[in-house]
Amino acid sequence: MGKVLVNNQLMDRTEAIIDIEDRGYQFGDGVYEVIRVYDGAVFTADEHLDRFFQSANKIKIDVQFDQKQLLALIHQLIEENNVHDGSIYMQLTRGASPRNHIFPGSEIKPVLTAYTKEVARPEGNLETGVKAMIADDIRWLRCDIKSLNLLPNVLAKQEATDHGCYEAILHRDGTVTEGSSSNAYIVKDGKVMTHPATNLILNGITRQVILKLCQAHQIPVAEEEFQIEDLKTADEIFISSTTSEIMPIVELDGQSIGDGKPGPFTRKLQTLFLKEIEAAKSDV
Ligand code: PSZ
């Protein structure tokens, strides 16, 4: 069954008790992170923990641990559960108290939970590419916060699934923002483009790695808005996330993108990303 983390304690999952009036459960009042584990090594841990603390700060939750302590707890959990290729999910809520929109007093402490699971790399899909559809971005205006409130994302992902698609790529008034659980990119005339890291998207850790790789390898890249029309006529489309890595989109709303196969820029970035994974593995 594996161990889970509740605040600073590792315990059996069956022993973990979360209050019915935990504000995460009542209001979605909390934040979370998903971090990848490759060969037992935590990938881009510092970047994920930075964002976790930033998300908590943005909604005024005071984290009871510092980043170093949290990293130590994560390592403990991974070791205890013997995670090989998998992920760690961690969330922090504003704590449990009688239901009331107003924040509880400082005597109520945030609740941290975390668990791990085995997840294989999606090698087949990375090779062939996947289908996507376009959907309306109906989310709030603080998508930069990795908040527990994922209802619009869940609805968009289900719509994609119902249409036989892997992902819904979202737009606001024609401007492409990101996927329901990924960042979105186009390649046009030899340039990679993705929405700037504003309040309208989550600044993905995978996105940050991709931008760094583009810069290091002289791949033209711009954090610039683009429109649905640019998406439809792109030479290549790909999405990125912690578990999907760099996922080619080869069909959009039933229309082939490029020649219907993952394009050369996407392939190049996948190769470079794989090297990053390999480097992280040998780091430990
Ligand atoms: O397991 C999964 O399906 C995961 S793990 C992380 C994600 C999906 N997605 C994170 C995410 C997101 O939810 C939104 C709305 N935009 C972008 C991303 C990509 O962020 P990173 O690269 O940090 O995972």
Side-chain angles (χ1 to χ4, degrees):
M1 195 79 187
K3 300 275 187 195
V4 300
L5 188 69
V6 179
N7 296 319
N8 56 355
Q9 291 210 281
L10 284 182
M11 60 184 80
D12 284 338
R13 187 170 181 150
T14 50
E15 283 169 9
I17 292 172
I18 298 299
D19 198 291
I20 283 181
E21 284 189 302
D22 187 289
R23 294 177 65 95
Y25 191 55
Q26 293 274 341
F27 298 113
D29 188 359
V31 296
Y32 76 106
E33 274 298 324
V34 183
I35 316 180
R36 198 74 169 90
V37 178
Y38 293 115
D39 219 359
V42 191
F43 187 67
T44 55
D46 291 338
E47 289 83 349
H48 280 280
L49 288 179
D50 282 347
R51 188 173 64 187
F52 190 60
F53 277 75
Q54 282 163 17
S55 289
N57 283 335
K58 284 172 178 177
I59 67 165
K60 304 184 171 76
I61 293 181
D62 189 20
V63 192
Q64 303 291 296
F65 312 95
D66 65 29
Q67 225 158 299
K68 230 177 118 191
Q69 290 169 317
L70 203 44
L71 187 61
L73 287 167
I74 285 171
H75 278 131
Q76 234 180 308
L77 188 61
I78 285 164
E79 205 155 300
E80 184 76 38
N81 289 344
N82 208 0
V83 183
H84 183 65
D85 282 320
S87 64
I88 174 156
Y89 176 89
M90 50 194 278
Q91 76 167 42
L92 184 74
T93 74
R94 205 181 303 280
S97 67
R99 188 177 186 282
N100 184 344
H101 287 59
I102 302 165
F103 290 180
S106 58
E107 71 285 3
I108 300 299
K109 298 302 174 200
V111 174
L112 174 75
T113 50
Y115 62 87
T116 65
K117 64 175 178 179
E118 284 291 319
V119 190
R121 297 188 56 236
E123 282 172 333
N125 285 337
L126 288 171
E127 188 57 35
T128 58
V130 295
K131 300 175 186 179
M133 64 174 286
I134 300 172
D136 235 9
D137 191 340
I138 61 165
R139 299 174 302 163
W140 71 332
L141 297 174
R142 290 307 306 274
C143 298
D144 55 309
I145 301 171
K146 204 158 168 59
S147 133
L148 294 179
N149 289 271
L150 290 175
L151 192 50
N153 309 64
V154 166
L155 293 174
K157 183 71 89 184
Q158 187 58 40
E159 197 184 347
T161 303
D162 292 344
H163 284 81
C165 291
Y166 183 91
E167 180 61 303
I169 297 178
L170 310 176
H171 74 92
R172 268 186 211 271
D173 298 325
T175 300
V176 176
T177 50
E178 61 180 339
S180 74
S181 66
S182 60
N183 291 112
Y185 311 74
I186 57 170
V187 181
K188 222 179 174 112
D189 304 325
K191 188 169 86 174
V192 178
M193 285 174 70
T194 193
H195 194 285
T198 65
N199 60 308
L200 298 183
I201 68 157
L202 184 76
N203 187 2
I205 305 304
T206 320
R207 176 185 183 278
Q208 294 169 32
V209 173
I210 290 167
L211 293 177
K212 195 189 76 183
L213 287 173
C214 285
Q215 271 138 24
H217 297 270
Q218 286 82 45
I219 298 169
V221 64
E223 295 180 73
E224 255 171 49
E225 288 186 358
F226 56 90
Q227 308 302 308
I228 288 178
E229 202 46 40
D230 302 312
L231 189 67
K232 286 181 173 166
T233 59
D235 300 324
E236 302 178 30
I237 303 177
F238 62 91
I239 57 171
S240 76
S241 81
T242 292
T243 35
S244 291
E245 300 181 2
I246 298 176
M247 185 63 75
I249 301 295
V250 293
E251 196 181 300
L252 180 73
D253 283 350
Q255 298 285 112
S256 280
I257 297 302
D259 61 1
K261 295 198 186 79
F265 281 79
T266 309
R267 284 266 178 258
K268 173 80 184 164
L269 283 168
Q270 284 182 323
T271 304
L272 294 171
F273 193 76
L274 208 51
K275 284 188 188 157
E276 292 291 303
I277 295 175
E278 291 305 321
K281 281 187 195 175
S282 53
D283 261 5
V284 281

